[in-house]
Amino acid sequence: MHEVEKLELQKKDKKKKQLEHNAIIYYGMVALGILNYAFIEKNTRIPLKKVATYIINNAENYADTSLKQEDESKLYKPFEKVGMTNNKQHEYVVLDLAIYSSLIYLAEIERIKNIKDVTLEYKKELQEIAKLQAIKNLTNRFVKHMSLLSLMEFCRLYEGEKASWDPSFSIIKRKPHIAVYNKTFIVGIGMLNVPYSPSEVVVYLPYKGLHPMQLINCKCGMTLLNFIPI
C-alpha cells in the first residue's frame, strides 16, 4: 500500500472516531459531508420540545440556583440522544437556556396574576397561552443550539475541504446570502465577501470568513464537493 493511501485511510479512520457520539441522528448527515438546517430541525424539534415542556412544567425547579443533580441529568440525557456529546461547555449552554426561560416564564405568570379587573378564567387562559409560548421559545433555542454544535463539528472535521453554500430554508432570504447561493468556498476559511455585523454572529469560529448557519436565524447549509463519504 502506498504512503498516500495509508494517510487517506488514517484520515478516514480518525473522522470515524470523531463521529462516535453517544447517539447519532443528524450527525449522519455531517458524516456524509452535508450540513442541512431543515434536517437538523426536523430530527431534533420533537424530542427537544419534550424537554422544553418538562422544563416549563417544572420552571420553579429550574429557576432555582440550587438545582438538584437529578434535574440536571434529566435535562442532558435527551440532548445526548439527538447528538450532543458529553461536553461540559455544551451542557452549560443548555442549563443556562433552561434557567433563563424558566425565569422569563415565571415572571410572565406573575405579571398575569397581578392583572386587575379581569376574571380568574381569563387569567387561566392567559397563563396557558404563556406556557405554550414559553415551550415554543425554549424549543427554538434548543434547536438552534444543536444546529450550532453541528456547524462546529462540520468545520472541525472538514477544515480545508471545498464546499458549496446551499440556499436557505428560511421564508425571508438574506440578500447578501442569495448572492453566494451555490458558490464554493473552503471550510475553515468561509465566504469572504459576505458582509455581516459582529452582533449577528451566534457562534465564534476562528476563521476569516462566514459559514452557513453562523449568523442569527441563518438557515443556509453547505455540502462538500468531490467528497467520498467515510
Side-chain angles (χ1 to χ4, degrees), residues 135-200:
I135 291 171
K136 180 180 178 181
N137 291 341
L138 183 52
T139 302
N140 288 338
R141 292 186 181 107
F142 282 157
V143 170
K144 286 178 182 178
H145 179 55
M146 296 307 297
S147 70
L148 294 179
L149 292 185
S150 67
L151 169 60
M152 290 187 284
E153 181 77 353
F154 192 97
C155 290
R156 183 173 68 86
L157 287 173
Y158 303 119
E159 185 173 3
E161 302 270 6
K162 281 188 178 181
S164 66
W165 187 297
D166 297 338
S168 174
F169 289 94
S170 179
I171 296 174
I172 302 175
K173 316 288 187 184
R174 281 187 171 90
K175 288 185 178 179
H177 288 193
I178 293 175
V180 296
Y181 283 174
N182 301 314
K183 291 191 175 180
T184 63
F185 63 97
I186 304 297
V187 177
I189 294 179
M191 193 66 73
L192 298 174
N193 60 341
V194 181
Y196 66 95
S197 166
S199 63
E200 294 180 285

Side-chain angles (χ1 to χ4, degrees), residues 5-20 157 229-230:
E5 292 177 336
K6 284 184 179 179
L7 290 173
E8 284 300 314
L9 286 174
Q10 289 175 1
K11 183 179 179 181
K12 289 184 178 182
D13 185 57
K14 183 180 179 181
K15 288 182 178 179
K16 283 182 181 179
K17 289 180 179 178
Q18 289 173 334
L19 285 166
E20 288 176 354
L157 287 173
I230 61 176

Side-chain angles (χ1 to χ4, degrees), residues 66-157:
S66 57
L67 188 65
K68 294 180 181 178
Q69 189 172 358
E70 62 186 62
D71 287 321
E72 283 197 41
S73 178
K74 287 180 181 178
L75 179 59
Y76 302 141
K77 283 183 179 179
F79 282 86
E80 291 175 358
K81 290 180 180 179
V82 295
M84 188 175 83
T85 56
N86 184 15
N87 181 296
K88 286 299 179 185
Q89 185 177 0
H90 300 164
E91 290 178 355
Y92 289 150
V93 172
V94 170
L95 181 59
D96 286 345
L97 290 174
I99 293 172
Y100 171 79
S101 297
S102 296
L103 290 170
I104 295 296
Y105 168 65
L106 292 175
E108 179 62 11
I109 292 298
E110 190 64 26
R111 185 192 70 80
I112 293 171
K113 286 180 179 178
N114 294 328
I115 296 176
K116 298 179 180 179
D117 303 324
V118 297
T119 64
L120 182 60
E121 288 74 16
Y122 183 60
K123 285 187 178 182
K124 287 182 178 178
E125 288 181 16
L126 291 178
Q127 288 174 347
E128 186 60 28
I129 292 171
K131 176 181 283 190
L132 293 175
Q133 188 60 50
I135 291 171
K136 180 180 178 181
N137 291 341
L138 183 52
T139 302
N140 288 338
R141 292 186 181 107
F142 282 157
V143 170
K144 286 178 182 178
H145 179 55
M146 296 307 297
S147 70
L148 294 179
L149 292 185
S150 67
L151 169 60
M152 290 187 284
E153 181 77 353
F154 192 97
C155 290
R156 183 173 68 86
L157 287 173

